[in-house]
Amino acid sequence: MANHFDLHAALTLATQPGPFVTMTLPVTGVPATDRTQFKSLLKRGKERLLAVAPDRTWSAYADAFAPFDHGPLTNGSASGLLIMAGATDSYHYWLHSPVSATVTVTYQPNVLPILQARDKTSDYDLLLLGQKSFELAQVRSGRPELVNLPVDAPATMDHALGTEQRERGRWQRSAGEHTHYSGTGSLDTAKAADLRNYYMMVDSYVSQHYSNLDQVPLILVASASDQGNFRKISQNAYLDPAVRLVQNPNLAAANQTLAALTLSVTEQRHVQATQIRHDAYQQARQGEQVVSDLGALATATVQGQVLRLWLREDASQPGHLTEKGEVLTTTALSRQNNLYNDLALLVSRLGGQVEVLPADAMPTRSPVAAQLRLRAAVLH
């Protein structure tokens, strides 16, 4: 997953001399296929640089691509590679979301793949909860992995509470790893107390050892009744109140179910984020804070007035954004350049938020729209 460091590196690279050659390479895992694709893109990049920037020689860019010309084109489970090369510096990172085979020569490094990858994935934990045991999985960069819980974890109720001893209406838990308690009443009362105490232990353990440390959302996978019971007692500030998987988790084969669980979470998050984005757009539009005209958008961007920029992931508009907010289209390089990338770079550099989205997630049918900062909207 692209993160703040990736974007910061790209913004730093953008301060170096250009133009920039940016390559995105799909990684299929078939060495011959990936090598052929890489060489084809490399050849195309050389040709485009010569066509639009004849004053630049390829030798200044060659070092950025040399490690991949003969070296490995794979990195774990990565599904793509991004290489951004300037005349004096370069940067690369591995993508964990699908990417098309492209090579561009532009005024600025192409950050749109970074922003697109960042919006498609995010980190979270999955708590697979049953009434007698639990499992925890961590999802990082879109990849789920079951946590190997240490021996002191309350992985099962018996381990956490000990064995039950009952006599004439009295019940007692003893020899447990974490607690000893007793009481009186029916067997149903005892079971309810067991479940409540066990869930409190699980909640405390996961909060202390994982959620509070990693500070990522915790998504609960449990039956409807267990969802309700756990949420009543949970003190975990990172337990997601909206995204939840209401089903009995297969704790005996948890590792085999993680891919399907992750897909379900992704779908829920997509629906939720799209609705939130649509509501925010409509509210901003009612407050006359939305701009989609390219001229007005270019001016607002260079003046630092853009709070949020929405871009459709396949959108492209020829042109280069100048420091004065003008759109240059008179040179071969400017006509090759994607204006939307220039807008995204500058909005990010000035502290605004940029989202690169599929068409069905856009809050508008326009390929680009921006929400202005409140003061800027009043002046606008």
Side-chain angles (χ1 to χ4, degrees):
M1 178 185 71
N3 55 31
H4 175 75
F5 173 80
D6 297 315
L7 183 58
H8 177 74
L11 294 176
T12 301
L13 183 63
T15 64
Q16 306 301 313
F20 294 85
V21 180
T22 304
M23 176 191 293
T24 56
L25 174 73
V27 174
T28 66
V30 181
T33 300
D34 295 341
R35 183 70 56 200
T36 299
Q37 183 76 86
F38 176 83
K39 290 185 177 296
S40 175
L41 290 173
L42 196 63
K43 180 175 181 291
R44 199 186 313 166
K46 294 177 183 179
E47 294 170 349
R48 289 189 178 179
L49 181 69
L50 177 63
V52 301
D55 57 326
R56 292 290 188 186
T57 61
W58 180 255
S59 59
Y61 298 83
D63 287 348
F65 297 91
F68 307 99
D69 204 2
H70 300 287
L73 289 172
T74 58
N75 183 37
S77 60
S79 57
L81 170 65
L82 173 73
I83 305 172
M84 296 183 290
T88 61
D89 204 357
S90 65
Y91 177 65
H92 79 273
Y93 80 93
W94 297 94
L95 293 151
H96 293 280
S97 53
V99 63
S100 300
T102 64
V103 63
T104 58
V105 179
T106 53
Y107 278 95
Q108 304 278 15
N110 184 9
V111 298
L112 297 183
I114 295 179
L115 294 165
Q116 184 176 344
R118 184 178 64 172
D119 289 332
K120 282 190 173 179
T121 57
S122 60
D123 295 344
Y124 58 89
D125 292 341
L126 284 171
L127 175 58
L128 287 70
L129 183 67
Q131 294 191 355
K132 298 291 185 180
S133 62
F134 82 96
E135 293 281 3
L136 186 71
Q138 295 177 322
V139 182
R140 303 292 183 266
S141 301
R143 293 168 294 172
E145 183 176 350
L146 203 63
V147 173
N148 186 16
L149 294 170
V151 294
D152 66 335
T156 67
M157 179 184 284
D158 287 345
H159 180 64
L161 304 183
T163 56
E164 183 181 6
Q165 300 172 359
R166 294 198 310 115
E167 180 181 358
R168 294 187 179 181
R170 284 193 58 83
W171 45 268
Q172 177 178 318
R173 283 284 180 181
S174 63
E177 181 73 20
H178 299 277
T179 189
H180 304 268
Y181 63 92
S182 62
T184 59
S186 67
L187 182 59
D188 288 342
T189 302
K191 288 181 177 179
D194 282 351
L195 188 61
R196 185 176 187 278
N197 280 279
Y198 180 55
Y199 280 0
M200 288 175 66
M201 288 182 184
V202 172
D203 182 63
S204 176
Y205 186 86
V206 172
S207 297
Q208 180 180 349
H209 292 87
Y210 297 96
S211 298
N212 293 345
L213 297 179
D214 296 336
Q215 298 183 356
V216 297
L218 178 68
I219 295 176
L220 182 60
V221 185
S223 67
S225 60
D226 291 341
Q227 287 270 354
N229 290 331
F230 185 82
R231 290 177 183 277
K232 286 178 183 177
I233 60 93
S234 178
Q235 299 296 311
N236 192 327
Y238 296 94
L239 180 61
D240 196 310
V243 178
R244 61 185 71 186
L245 299 183
V246 183
Q247 63 187 76
N248 285 310
N250 185 354
L251 295 174
N255 211 31
Q256 285 71 47
T257 66
L258 292 183
L261 294 176
T262 304
L263 179 60
S264 295
V265 170
T266 300
E267 292 173 348
Q268 279 198 43
R269 286 187 145 194
H270 175 76
V271 172
Q272 180 189 50
T274 299
Q275 185 60 55
I276 292 173
R277 191 179 301 114
H278 180 268
D279 292 345
Y281 175 84
Q282 293 300 328
Q283 185 175 359
R285 188 179 179 186
Q286 291 175 5
E288 298 184 345
Q289 290 177 260
V290 171
V291 172
S292 56
D293 175 78
L294 278 180
L297 182 52
T299 300
T301 299
V302 298
Q303 293 177 354
Q305 297 177 351
V306 176
L307 175 66
R308 187 174 289 109
L309 179 68
W310 296 288
L311 287 172
R312 196 179 66 210
E313 63 183 8
D314 60 347
S316 182
Q317 175 68 38
H320 169 56
L321 181 66
T322 69
E323 294 181 355
K324 296 181 179 179
E326 299 170 346
V327 178
L328 178 66
T329 58
T330 56
T331 66
L333 181 56
S334 66
R335 291 190 293 272
Q336 166 89 14
N337 197 72
N338 186 356
L339 174 64
Y340 295 149
N341 181 67
D342 288 1
L343 293 170
L345 258 172
L346 189 52
V347 169
S348 297
R349 184 181 297 146
L350 297 178
Q353 179 185 351
V354 181
E355 293 183 274
V356 181
L357 305 163
D360 66 340
M362 285 286 289
T364 172
R365 292 183 179 179
S366 171
V368 61
Q371 178 183 352
L372 300 180
R373 301 182 191 277
L374 187 57
R375 181 174 179 274
V378 173
L379 295 176
H380 183 76

